[in-house]
Amino acid sequence: MDPLPKDSEGAATGEPSRGAGSSSGVVVQVREKKGPLRAAIPYMPFPVAVICLFLNTFVPGLGTFVSAFTVLCGARTDLPDRHKCCVFWLNIAAALIQILTAIVMVGWIMSIFWGMDMVILASKYS
């Protein structure tokens, strides 16, 4: 019984791998689909985003709470079809979730990741 060729061997000989078409394996575009809370994170100036990350690190939810007010000041989000007040309340809800679940460490970790996302979005915005 002969062993079947590995995918790398099939690729080296020019044979297509099993179960794959001739055009498979090529990624044209990858786009992240965000939920409404994650899409409500505002694009802030970089120094403000760093301050929010700092606040989220030491007081879970505080930086997210501050970032909610930047939406009312005109910060752009990935939810262009929603009203500013709706996006503001989504950010307030995210801050409350972070504060209420901080006692079991989930909210604290979520808060830090939220702050890192703010800094990443701010660096893309600059």
Side-chain angles (χ1 to χ4, degrees), residues 5-110:
K6 295 180 182 176
D7 289 338
S8 60
E9 292 174 5
T13 60
E15 300 172 7
S17 60
R18 293 179 301 271
S22 61
S23 65
S24 69
V26 178
V27 176
V28 177
Q29 180 180 6
V30 176
R31 191 170 38 155
E32 180 182 8
K33 183 174 172 148
K34 298 179 180 180
L37 279 180
R38 182 73 59 156
I41 298 175
Y43 289 83
M44 299 175 281
F46 190 78
V48 177
V50 171
I51 290 169
C52 287
L53 171 60
F54 181 79
L55 292 172
N56 271 350
T57 302
F58 295 104
V59 182
L62 184 59
T64 307
F65 185 76
V66 169
S67 74
F69 289 96
T70 64
V71 173
L72 295 178
C73 294
R76 191 174 57 84
T77 65
D78 288 331
L79 293 172
D81 54 335
R82 296 214 180 162
H83 195 266
K84 284 182 185 179
C85 289
C86 179
V87 178
F88 169 78
W89 286 112
L90 282 171
N91 279 293
I92 295 295
L96 287 175
I97 290 168
Q98 292 167 7
I99 291 167
L100 294 175
T101 59
I103 26 178
V104 290
M105 298 297 286
V106 173
W108 184 64
I109 294 168
M110 177 186 175

